[in-house]
Amino acid sequence: MDTLVKERIQVDFQNRMDRDELENCMRCGFCLPVCPTYIQSGYDETQSPRGRIALMKGIVDGEIEPDEDIEQTLNECLGCRACEPACPAGVNYGQLLEEARDIFNQNKQHSLPEKVIRKTVFEGLFPHQNRMENMTSLLTFYQRSGLQKIARNIGFMKLFPDTLATMEKVLPSTPSRKEMRSQVSYYVHKSQPKATVAFFKGCLMDTMFREVNKATIELLQKVGCDIAVPDTQNCCGALHGHSGEKEKAKELAKKNIAAFEEVGADYIITNAGGCGAFLHDYGHLLHDDPEWSERAANFASKIKDITAILIDLDFHLTPLQMPEQVVTYQDSCHLRNVQKTFDEPRLLLQSIDGLHYEEMNDAARCCGSAGIYNIVHSELSMKHLDYKMEQVKDTAATTIVTTNPGCLLQMKLGIEREGLSDKMRAVHIVELLIEAVDRRTSV
């Protein structure tokens, strides 16, 4: 990193970082026991929230020179935001982290391959749902045509890093292009609706995890909702916001706000903890935009996770039964730490006869998925996953339940790595709930 780049980064830190928020950190250390990277590093202070804030403040004050080591320290943060509920001063660490990452990213010189990858992912793929569908349809062809079986038989996957090769094994069965495009824009409840909701279908959730979306809509119908699914919605922008592409995240946010304003609903329902948290933060993302700040705050105020509205509408009072099994719950970091939704999933699981719920030790600790963290920081991610799987095994659970697609894939990955695929499964909570509903209907 040359001197000119360092100078630009320092100027941007001084102009853009929220000094009051940096000063709010009292260095009390309450964040340390809940920070996965601090614990995993062997208690390296620079791998803690207060340590990273100190580095940010040092750059702002001109006491520290920005360099690659600081950038790496910021990028190695999982962004789980477990530090925020633990902080007595209420420091919005996640907002500071995203701003700092954006400053580094916008000022650094990317290599040509990195430029191509970032442009392809952040501009060419995720903002365009039709392209996400095309990509998923290729995966569907790979799975259904026999190519997947051939690739495994000839050892083709051995050419890839172990984590990616194992991840290929745990990918869900994906829908065809026709199935992805058979979307209904409005679902009317047969009787008097209890609520009118809009459903945020997401990009990956509506392609790779489409069955989860279908189950979510079914559950919303069963609890008495009219459901609008705006055609013009797009990617939430979380991947962009977490990866130093803040301006692109703002563009996506504005499109989503406009799309959901057209339908007018009591709530905007999400079923992916990471997406829900970023949508919840639109108010901050656009707080300095006079045209959009109020609209963004209004949008954010309507965000509600599927588990929360199911509890609100008394789904947990429905008599349901499942085959005897031990279940445990892995919190989605952002659902818990940003949306403050943690009791609701547990109440839903505990309400079903036959499910013996066992609380996992450190259920709130990040599993290491963290968006694309398990790809770009694979070795570190697997250390977090190994710890998580030890806690899972201590519960003797046969079913791991979670509420976020990244967490779901990570837990499936953990099961495969531990050689437990014949004894244990991981499911999204709505998959388990609709399974219980279907069993009741068929009896």
Side-chain angles (χ1 to χ4, degrees), residues 207-224:
T207 49
M208 191 176 294
F209 296 92
R210 188 172 177 81
E211 288 302 311
V212 176
N213 272 8
K214 286 172 62 179
T216 302
I217 289 173
E218 284 185 49
L219 291 174
L220 289 170
Q221 288 179 300
K222 289 184 183 300
V223 293

mmCIF file of all heavy atoms in Angstrom, residues 207-224:
data_model
loop_
_atom_site.group_PDB
_atom_site.id
_atom_site.type_symbol
_atom_site.label_atom_id
_atom_site.label_comp_id
_atom_site.label_asym_id
_atom_site.label_seq_id
_atom_site.Cartn_x
_atom_site.Cartn_y
_atom_site.Cartn_z
ATOM 1 N N THR A 207 -34.034 -18.672 -5.083
ATOM 2 C CA THR A 207 -33.469 -19.530 -6.126
ATOM 3 C C THR A 207 -32.970 -20.830 -5.491
ATOM 4 O O THR A 207 -33.648 -21.844 -5.520
ATOM 5 C CB THR A 207 -32.325 -18.800 -6.867
ATOM 6 O OG1 THR A 207 -31.401 -18.232 -5.910
ATOM 7 C CG2 THR A 207 -32.877 -17.690 -7.743
ATOM 8 N N MET A 208 -31.828 -20.775 -4.841
ATOM 9 C CA MET A 208 -31.240 -21.978 -4.258
ATOM 10 C C MET A 208 -32.081 -22.552 -3.116
ATOM 11 O O MET A 208 -32.134 -23.765 -2.917
ATOM 12 C CB MET A 208 -29.818 -21.658 -3.761
ATOM 13 C CG MET A 208 -29.020 -22.881 -3.373
ATOM 14 S SD MET A 208 -27.322 -22.469 -2.919
ATOM 15 C CE MET A 208 -26.689 -21.880 -4.493
ATOM 16 N N PHE A 209 -32.756 -21.671 -2.366
ATOM 17 C CA PHE A 209 -33.560 -22.132 -1.222
ATOM 18 C C PHE A 209 -35.044 -21.871 -1.445
ATOM 19 O O PHE A 209 -35.769 -21.527 -0.523
ATOM 20 C CB PHE A 209 -33.088 -21.431 0.062
ATOM 21 C CG PHE A 209 -31.684 -21.773 0.457
ATOM 22 C CD1 PHE A 209 -30.622 -20.992 0.032
ATOM 23 C CD2 PHE A 209 -31.428 -22.877 1.245
ATOM 24 C CE1 PHE A 209 -29.319 -21.302 0.394
ATOM 25 C CE2 PHE A 209 -30.134 -23.201 1.614
ATOM 26 C CZ PHE A 209 -29.073 -22.415 1.181
ATOM 27 N N ARG A 210 -35.484 -22.095 -2.646
ATOM 28 C CA ARG A 210 -36.865 -21.770 -2.991
ATOM 29 C C ARG A 210 -37.883 -22.577 -2.172
ATOM 30 O O ARG A 210 -38.968 -22.078 -1.858
ATOM 31 C CB ARG A 210 -37.099 -22.004 -4.484
ATOM 32 C CG ARG A 210 -38.461 -21.496 -4.960
ATOM 33 C CD ARG A 210 -38.567 -21.581 -6.466
ATOM 34 N NE ARG A 210 -39.880 -21.156 -6.917
ATOM 35 C CZ ARG A 210 -40.265 -19.900 -7.069
ATOM 36 N NH1 ARG A 210 -39.415 -18.935 -6.783
ATOM 37 N NH2 ARG A 210 -41.471 -19.585 -7.487
ATOM 38 N N GLU A 211 -37.560 -23.791 -1.811
ATOM 39 C CA GLU A 211 -38.476 -24.606 -1.018
ATOM 40 C C GLU A 211 -38.736 -23.974 0.348
ATOM 41 O O GLU A 211 -39.833 -24.080 0.894
ATOM 42 C CB GLU A 211 -37.922 -26.027 -0.841
ATOM 43 C CG GLU A 211 -37.971 -26.872 -2.103
ATOM 44 C CD GLU A 211 -39.384 -27.008 -2.665
ATOM 45 O OE1 GLU A 211 -40.296 -27.339 -1.881
ATOM 46 O OE2 GLU A 211 -39.576 -26.772 -3.872
ATOM 47 N N VAL A 212 -37.729 -23.298 0.890
ATOM 48 C CA VAL A 212 -37.908 -22.598 2.162
ATOM 49 C C VAL A 212 -38.875 -21.432 1.980
ATOM 50 O O VAL A 212 -39.741 -21.174 2.827
ATOM 51 C CB VAL A 212 -36.554 -22.101 2.718
ATOM 52 C CG1 VAL A 212 -36.753 -21.285 3.993
ATOM 53 C CG2 VAL A 212 -35.622 -23.277 2.990
ATOM 54 N N ASN A 213 -38.743 -20.721 0.868
ATOM 55 C CA ASN A 213 -39.672 -19.626 0.586
ATOM 56 C C ASN A 213 -41.103 -20.125 0.431
ATOM 57 O O ASN A 213 -42.055 -19.519 0.932
ATOM 58 C CB ASN A 213 -39.244 -18.880 -0.677
ATOM 59 C CG ASN A 213 -38.256 -17.767 -0.386
ATOM 60 O OD1 ASN A 213 -37.779 -17.634 0.733
ATOM 61 N ND2 ASN A 213 -37.943 -16.964 -1.383
ATOM 62 N N LYS A 214 -41.271 -21.248 -0.274
ATOM 63 C CA LYS A 214 -42.617 -21.814 -0.450
ATOM 64 C C LYS A 214 -43.222 -22.188 0.896
ATOM 65 O O LYS A 214 -44.401 -21.928 1.166
ATOM 66 C CB LYS A 214 -42.546 -23.041 -1.369
ATOM 67 C CG LYS A 214 -42.328 -22.719 -2.832
ATOM 68 C CD LYS A 214 -42.083 -23.979 -3.660
ATOM 69 C CE LYS A 214 -43.274 -24.924 -3.629
ATOM 70 N NZ LYS A 214 -43.039 -26.126 -4.461
ATOM 71 N N ALA A 215 -42.405 -22.778 1.751
ATOM 72 C CA ALA A 215 -42.886 -23.169 3.080
ATOM 73 C C ALA A 215 -43.237 -21.940 3.908
ATOM 74 O O ALA A 215 -44.218 -21.944 4.670
ATOM 75 C CB ALA A 215 -41.826 -24.002 3.793
ATOM 76 N N THR A 216 -42.467 -20.874 3.753
ATOM 77 C CA THR A 216 -42.730 -19.626 4.487
ATOM 78 C C THR A 216 -44.091 -19.057 4.108
ATOM 79 O O THR A 216 -44.882 -18.654 4.975
ATOM 80 C CB THR A 216 -41.632 -18.588 4.199
ATOM 81 O OG1 THR A 216 -40.356 -19.126 4.577
ATOM 82 C CG2 THR A 216 -41.879 -17.294 4.958
ATOM 83 N N ILE A 217 -44.376 -19.024 2.817
ATOM 84 C CA ILE A 217 -45.668 -18.503 2.352
ATOM 85 C C ILE A 217 -46.813 -19.377 2.849
ATOM 86 O O ILE A 217 -47.859 -18.873 3.264
ATOM 87 C CB ILE A 217 -45.660 -18.381 0.818
ATOM 88 C CG1 ILE A 217 -44.746 -17.220 0.389
ATOM 89 C CG2 ILE A 217 -47.077 -18.162 0.275
ATOM 90 C CD1 ILE A 217 -44.518 -17.100 -1.093
ATOM 91 N N GLU A 218 -46.603 -20.693 2.835
ATOM 92 C CA GLU A 218 -47.642 -21.594 3.350
ATOM 93 C C GLU A 218 -47.944 -21.313 4.817
ATOM 94 O O GLU A 218 -49.104 -21.284 5.241
ATOM 95 C CB GLU A 218 -47.197 -23.047 3.185
ATOM 96 C CG GLU A 218 -47.299 -23.580 1.762
ATOM 97 C CD GLU A 218 -46.965 -25.073 1.700
ATOM 98 O OE1 GLU A 218 -47.518 -25.834 2.512
ATOM 99 O OE2 GLU A 218 -46.141 -25.451 0.851
ATOM 100 N N LEU A 219 -46.918 -21.098 5.603
ATOM 101 C CA LEU A 219 -47.110 -20.819 7.023
ATOM 102 C C LEU A 219 -47.829 -19.495 7.232
ATOM 103 O O LEU A 219 -48.719 -19.384 8.095
ATOM 104 C CB LEU A 219 -45.757 -20.805 7.750
ATOM 105 C CG LEU A 219 -45.044 -22.153 7.879
ATOM 106 C CD1 LEU A 219 -43.663 -21.967 8.487
ATOM 107 C CD2 LEU A 219 -45.857 -23.129 8.720
ATOM 108 N N LEU A 220 -47.465 -18.490 6.442
ATOM 109 C CA LEU A 220 -48.139 -17.194 6.551
ATOM 110 C C LEU A 220 -49.623 -17.316 6.201
ATOM 111 O O LEU A 220 -50.481 -16.680 6.829
ATOM 112 C CB LEU A 220 -47.456 -16.169 5.639
ATOM 113 C CG LEU A 220 -46.075 -15.695 6.082
ATOM 114 C CD1 LEU A 220 -45.416 -14.872 4.986
ATOM 115 C CD2 LEU A 220 -46.165 -14.884 7.375
ATOM 116 N N GLN A 221 -49.925 -18.135 5.213
ATOM 117 C CA GLN A 221 -51.336 -18.356 4.860
ATOM 118 C C GLN A 221 -52.077 -19.062 5.996
ATOM 119 O O GLN A 221 -53.214 -18.709 6.317
ATOM 120 C CB GLN A 221 -51.419 -19.195 3.582
ATOM 121 C CG GLN A 221 -51.025 -18.447 2.315
ATOM 122 C CD GLN A 221 -51.097 -19.343 1.092
ATOM 123 O OE1 GLN A 221 -50.401 -20.360 1.015
ATOM 124 N NE2 GLN A 221 -51.951 -18.988 0.155
ATOM 125 N N LYS A 222 -51.419 -20.029 6.613
ATOM 126 C CA LYS A 222 -52.077 -20.806 7.664
ATOM 127 C C LYS A 222 -52.382 -19.980 8.906
ATOM 128 O O LYS A 222 -53.315 -20.284 9.640
ATOM 129 C CB LYS A 222 -51.234 -22.029 8.019
ATOM 130 C CG LYS A 222 -51.227 -23.083 6.921
ATOM 131 C CD LYS A 222 -50.475 -24.316 7.327
ATOM 132 C CE LYS A 222 -50.439 -25.323 6.176
ATOM 133 N NZ LYS A 222 -51.786 -25.751 5.761
ATOM 134 N N VAL A 223 -51.589 -18.926 9.155
ATOM 135 C CA VAL A 223 -51.860 -18.090 10.334
ATOM 136 C C VAL A 223 -52.753 -16.904 9.995
ATOM 137 O O VAL A 223 -52.995 -16.043 10.834
ATOM 138 C CB VAL A 223 -50.561 -17.602 11.007
ATOM 139 C CG1 VAL A 223 -49.808 -18.765 11.621
ATOM 140 C CG2 VAL A 223 -49.681 -16.820 10.041
ATOM 141 N N GLY A 224 -53.253 -16.856 8.748
ATOM 142 C CA GLY A 224 -54.264 -15.860 8.415
ATOM 143 C C GLY A 224 -53.764 -14.570 7.802
ATOM 144 O O GLY A 224 -54.289 -13.499 8.106
#
